């Protein structure tokens, strides 16, 4: 079985849900605490054993490439000023030369098209796909758990979580088939079904391990929901040739493409950090007390 060595990050989206913040800054570069959103997703891939990071970008996204490059003047200045901690943190996050590739989507035809744009860079091997809007928080990362599962089952794996049944029209939804000791067989995949018509309330949360045969299908995939070339439609076709397994992720997922999810991620990641937890908890409690004076702070 081939290892999952490569990961694809589709980062060409315009970020219209987040204007005006994203007028000049890519949404993937907005910061959650002190790291850009894209860094969380790349770190997750690295932790899962990924060795090559493939970004499908678009116009106005050049700063993402700069972010993953060596900043010689900065590194040198930090070294000279004795800021070794900051320097080593930057160096730890730094991909090695040759570990990143960038290609442009050129036309905004949807997620399926963005993934297809990575076909030459991925080649004939399985790959991870991480949607950078979604960042996750758990002790073991979502992709790491999926890679472990993949090493047992092979084939294709999609991470899912439960959503409010009234919100199925926002996501790709899967049907749950027979249980396996590692997850379940995926029976159906539908992109953005209307509430009441969805096969379940298990939504695709933005992490996939896919076989390269998906590219051949994407090449001729017709437009689907939202008049876009949908990855979910292509996966449904691939599912007729190869098994798809569902992995039910039980950590937290934040949709950083929306202001609400982004703010929630900032609060959650600040509270998660041991150097910030105490102060941030106090700040949040004080703000809530001031805004809702009738709310009694529980003591003890
Ligand atoms: C995409 C996928 C969808 C998935 C979602 C997760 O939709 O097409 O299947 O559930 O990401 O965020 P988008 O958010 O790009 O509309």
């Amino acid at each position: 079985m081939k290892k999952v060595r490569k990961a694809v990050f589709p980062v060409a989206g315009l970020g219209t849900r987040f204007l005006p913040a994203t007028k000049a800054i890519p949404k993937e570069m907005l910061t959650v605490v002190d790291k850009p959103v894209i860094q969380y997703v790349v770190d997750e891939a690295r932790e899962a054993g990924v060795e090559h990071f493939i970004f499908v970008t678009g116009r106005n996204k050049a700063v993402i490439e700069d972010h993953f490059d060596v900043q010689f003047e900065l590194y040198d200045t930090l070294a000279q000023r004795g800021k070794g901690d900051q320097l080593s943190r930057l160096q730890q996050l730094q991909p090695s030369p040759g570990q990143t590739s960038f290609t442009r989507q050129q036309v905004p035809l949807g997620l399926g098209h963005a993934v297809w744009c990575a076909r030459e860079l991925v080649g004939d091997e399985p790959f991870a796909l991480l949607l950078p809007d979604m960042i996750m928080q758990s002790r073991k990362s979502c992709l790491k758990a999926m890679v472990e599962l993949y090493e047992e089952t092979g084939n294709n794996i999609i991470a899912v979580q439960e959503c409010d049944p009234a919100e199925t029209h926002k996501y790709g939804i899967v049907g749950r088939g027979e249980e396996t000791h590692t997850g379940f067989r995926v029976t159906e995949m539908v992109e953005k079904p209307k509430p009441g018509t969805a096969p379940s309330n298990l939504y695709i949360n933005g992490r996939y391990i896919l076989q390269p045969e998906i590219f051949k299908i994407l090449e001729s995939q017709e437009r689907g929901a939202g008049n876009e070339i949908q990855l979910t439609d292509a996966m449904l076709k691939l599912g007729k040739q190869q098994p798809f397994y569902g992995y039910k992720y039980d950590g937290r997922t934040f949709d950083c493409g929306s202001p609400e999810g982004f703010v929630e991620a900032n609060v959650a990641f600040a509270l998660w950090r041991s150097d910030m937890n105490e102060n941030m908890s106090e700040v949040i409690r004080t703000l809530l007390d001031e805004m809702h004076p009738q709310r009694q702070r529980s003591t003890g």
Side-chain angles (χ1 to χ4, degrees):
M1 182 195 301
K2 286 187 185 167
K3 250 190 92 192
V4 180
R5 295 188 313 122
K6 298 184 180 178
V8 174
F9 305 90
V11 291
L14 292 176
T16 46
R17 285 189 293 163
F18 225 130
L19 284 166
T22 49
K23 200 174 154 206
I25 299 171
K27 59 179 175 172
E28 298 80 10
M29 289 303 292
L30 299 174
T31 49
V32 170
V33 186
D34 60 1
K35 287 195 298 187
V37 167
I38 186 70
Q39 183 78 60
Y40 286 84
V41 189
V42 166
D43 291 350
E44 182 183 337
R46 189 192 285 114
E47 201 195 317
V50 166
E51 298 160 8
H52 196 98
F53 308 91
I54 299 166
F55 298 83
V56 181
T57 73
R59 284 163 60 78
N60 304 326
K61 300 278 183 165
V63 70
I64 297 178
E65 194 164 348
D66 290 342
H67 176 75
F68 289 105
D69 197 2
V70 166
Q71 287 244 30
F72 177 75
E73 295 86 345
L74 175 65
Y75 290 11
D76 191 48
T77 309
L78 290 174
Q80 286 190 26
R81 293 188 183 162
K83 305 212 167 189
D85 286 358
Q86 280 171 316
L87 179 59
S88 66
R89 183 159 183 237
L90 288 183
Q91 285 168 333
Q92 269 167 25
L93 301 178
Q94 178 76 54
S96 303
Q99 268 195 319
T100 52
S101 296
F102 296 81
T103 187
R104 288 197 179 191
Q105 191 182 4
Q106 299 181 344
V107 275
L109 295 179
L111 177 62
H113 179 256
V115 172
W116 178 73
C117 290
R119 68 199 179 282
E120 296 291 338
L121 294 166
V122 171
D124 189 24
E125 55 182 286
F127 63 100
L129 170 67
L130 297 94
L131 306 191
D133 276 353
M134 308 301 256
I135 66 170
M136 296 173 182
Q137 191 180 57
S138 51
R139 257 172 233 292
K140 183 188 274 184
S141 83
C142 184
L143 191 65
K144 192 170 169 54
M146 290 171 74
V147 166
E148 289 174 7
L149 188 65
Y150 172 77
E151 282 163 2
E152 286 192 45
T153 60
N155 296 295
N156 303 273
I157 301 179
I158 325 180
V160 298
Q161 287 179 263
E162 281 177 16
C163 71
D164 181 338
E167 305 218 315
T168 55
H169 61 290
K170 295 185 177 171
Y171 304 105
I173 303 289
V174 306
R176 187 176 192 141
E178 118 210 24
E179 301 290 319
T180 66
H181 71 289
T182 47
F184 62 90
R185 282 291 289 264
V186 172
T187 51
E188 263 187 82
M189 295 175 243
V190 197
E191 186 62 21
K192 306 200 168 70
K194 290 199 185 90
T197 68
S200 76
N201 67 335
L202 292 173
Y203 79 95
I204 300 172
N205 73 2
R207 300 294 184 266
Y208 313 74
I209 292 176
L210 295 172
Q211 295 299 319
E213 287 75 23
I214 195 76
F215 295 122
K216 188 91 199 113
I217 296 171
L218 284 169
E219 200 173 300
S220 54
Q221 181 61 49
E222 282 158 14
R223 292 175 190 238
N227 201 27
E228 294 188 336
I229 299 174
Q230 294 292 353
L231 176 67
T232 307
D233 297 343
M235 292 195 303
L236 186 64
K237 285 188 196 153
L238 183 57
K240 304 223 167 11
Q241 303 163 19
Q242 302 175 357
F244 269 74
Y245 295 98
Y247 163 65
K248 197 151 174 263
Y249 175 60
D250 61 3
R252 296 193 184 92
T253 297
F254 306 99
D255 178 3
C256 288
S258 81
E260 252 185 27
F262 174 76
V263 172
E264 193 186 342
N266 266 286
V267 172
F269 276 94
L271 291 173
W272 184 261
R273 269 177 53 161
S274 55
D275 60 333
M276 295 179 83
N277 176 282
E278 204 174 310
N279 280 350
M280 282 307 301
S281 303
E282 189 53 31
V283 165
I284 291 166
R285 274 190 220 107
T286 306
L287 282 170
L288 285 173
D289 285 352
E290 282 173 15
M291 283 181 186
H292 307 285
Q294 70 285 9
R295 227 173 126 260
Q296 286 296 308
R297 205 192 262 221
S298 79
T299 50

